[in-house]
């Protein structure tokens, strides 16, 4: 009887996509609009304030459009941040590339070339991800003073490379775990050693993970303030230090120039995510499924 009833019912069409109710759809769009507004409101405040003069750039007039659109704020901000932005590029490019290469090598060894204590080494590496910057500042400063490293971009590069190794190793290790074992075995059969297998077989297929790691490290190094505060100064440091001085460098806060400077300083990371955002997500997902 049950079989007859099932046979009498129309078969489900797999090509038909079930849609939610109008109320559910409306709630979904309302939430999306709400969160979008939460993101765009600070951007709006930054943008309109960056064109206001000293008289208009007052917290009581935050939401008002400027009566006179003044571009002098942008000129002052650019004059103060142009050189630090150049130094920041000298920081983020080598630190991102070096930490990505070291993380790739570590991830390959820890995923495919097991050795005694490999899991212990990987565990200790992961501990570095959970150590806050504040906890290492005093030991780091003592080490820098003991070694005699100068304040400046090279020392900051070293700090970001070392601090970036745990996360880069984790990303590459997870990605290499998804690489078919037959590919590695085929290179061994051909007589390739560890280094040749890495450079000839593994490295060419690692582009998705390199994109993820480079974007991650680029953003982390660009937005860093604490390492820059301890290891550099305003004459030798990145843009975050100069932006802080731009906001607090005088008796009266220059809100207009500060907001313009914040937009200028955040533009490179925004451009990176706009241009490479889809590759970032794709790279994260590429190692999520093993096969």
């Amino acid at each position: 009887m049950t079989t007859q009833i099932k046979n009498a019912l129309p078969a489900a069409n797999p090509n038909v996509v079930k849609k939610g109710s109008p109320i559910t759809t409306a709630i979904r769009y309302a939430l999306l609009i709400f969160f979008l507004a939460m993101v765009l409101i600070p951007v709006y405040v930054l943008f309109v304030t960056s064109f206001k003069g000293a008289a208009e750039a007052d917290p009581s007039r935050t939401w008002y459009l400027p009566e006179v659109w003044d571009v002098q704020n942008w000129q002052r901000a650019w004059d103060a941040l142009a050189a630090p932005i150049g130094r920041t590029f000298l920081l983020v490019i080598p630190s991102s590339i070096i930490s990505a290469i070291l993380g790739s090598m570590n991830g390959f060894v820890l995923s495919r070339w097991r050795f005694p204590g490999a899991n212990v080494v990987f565990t200790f590496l992961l501990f570095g991800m959970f150590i806050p910057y504040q906890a290492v500042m005093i030991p780091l400063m003592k080490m820098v003073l003991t070694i005699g490293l100068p304040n400046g971009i090279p020392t900051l590069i070293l700090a970001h490379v070392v601090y970036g190794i745990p996360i880069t190793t984790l990303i590459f290790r997870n990605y290499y775990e998804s690489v078919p074992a037959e590919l590695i075995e085929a290179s061994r059969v051909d007589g390739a050693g560890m280094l040749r297998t890495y450079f000839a077989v593994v490295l060419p297929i690692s582009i998705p993970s390199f994109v993820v790691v480079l974007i991650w490290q680029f953003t982390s190094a660009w937005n860093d303030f604490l390492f820059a505060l301890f290891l550099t100064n305003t004459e030798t440091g990145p843009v975050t230090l100069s932006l802080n001085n731009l906001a607090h460098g005088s008796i009266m806060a220059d809100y207009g120039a500060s907001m313009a400077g914040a937009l200028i300083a955040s533009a490179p990371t925004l451009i990176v995510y706009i241009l490479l955002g889809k590759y970032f997500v794709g790279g994260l997902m590429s190692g999520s499924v093993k096969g």
Side-chain angles (χ1 to χ4, degrees), residues 69 169 171 207 225 255 270:
W69 293 76
T169 300
I171 293 174
I207 295 178
F225 178 76
Y255 292 110
L270 179 62

Side-chain angles (χ1 to χ4, degrees), residues 52-280:
K52 292 180 179 179
E56 290 187 84
D58 186 87
S60 61
R61 297 178 55 86
T62 298
W63 305 105
Y64 296 98
L65 291 173
E67 296 179 2
V68 178
W69 293 76
D70 186 4
V71 297
Q72 294 299 318
N73 296 328
W74 287 82
Q75 184 63 50
R76 291 198 304 275
W78 177 251
D79 292 340
L81 300 181
I85 286 176
R87 292 195 297 267
T88 308
F89 276 110
L90 295 178
L91 161 67
V92 299
I93 293 176
S95 62
S96 301
I97 294 175
I98 295 173
S99 59
I101 293 174
L102 293 177
S104 175
M105 293 180 176
N106 291 340
F108 174 64
V109 171
L110 292 172
S111 64
R112 291 302 181 183
W113 295 82
R114 300 288 184 174
F115 56 89
N119 291 332
V120 176
V121 172
F122 181 61
T123 302
F124 277 109
L125 276 175
L126 290 185
F127 283 160
M129 294 174 53
F130 305 103
I131 300 177
Y133 286 9
Q134 295 86 347
V136 300
M137 280 299 109
I138 295 178
L140 180 62
M141 282 299 302
K142 288 185 176 180
M143 184 190 72
V144 169
L145 293 175
T146 301
I147 298 176
L149 296 176
N151 285 347
I153 295 300
T155 304
L156 202 55
I157 291 174
L158 178 62
H160 280 289
V161 167
V162 173
Y163 219 87
I165 286 177
I167 182 63
T168 58
T169 300
L170 174 64
I171 293 174
F172 277 108
R173 182 180 183 273
N174 290 342
Y175 178 76
Y176 291 147
E177 287 284 352
S178 65
V179 174
E182 293 80 5
L183 195 62
I184 307 298
E185 292 299 328
S187 65
R188 291 181 179 177
V189 171
D190 291 339
M194 181 177 66
L195 291 178
R196 184 179 175 186
T197 300
Y198 172 74
F199 285 106
V201 178
V202 176
L203 193 60
I205 62 174
S206 304
I207 295 178
S209 289
F210 268 99
V211 172
V212 172
V213 168
L214 289 174
I215 293 176
W216 181 279
Q217 288 298 101
F218 182 95
T219 306
S220 299
W222 188 280
N223 294 330
D224 170 63
F225 178 76
L226 195 58
F227 276 149
L229 181 64
F230 278 82
L231 300 178
T232 62
N233 51 54
T234 53
E235 287 75 23
T236 61
V239 67
T240 49
L241 282 185
S242 299
L243 183 61
N244 180 69
N245 291 337
L246 182 64
H248 304 93
S250 60
I251 298 176
M252 181 178 295
D254 191 349
Y255 292 110
S258 299
M259 299 302 179
L263 291 172
I264 293 173
S266 61
T269 53
L270 179 62
I271 293 172
V272 166
Y273 273 103
I274 291 175
L275 297 179
L276 302 176
K278 61 179 181 180
Y279 301 105
F280 182 79

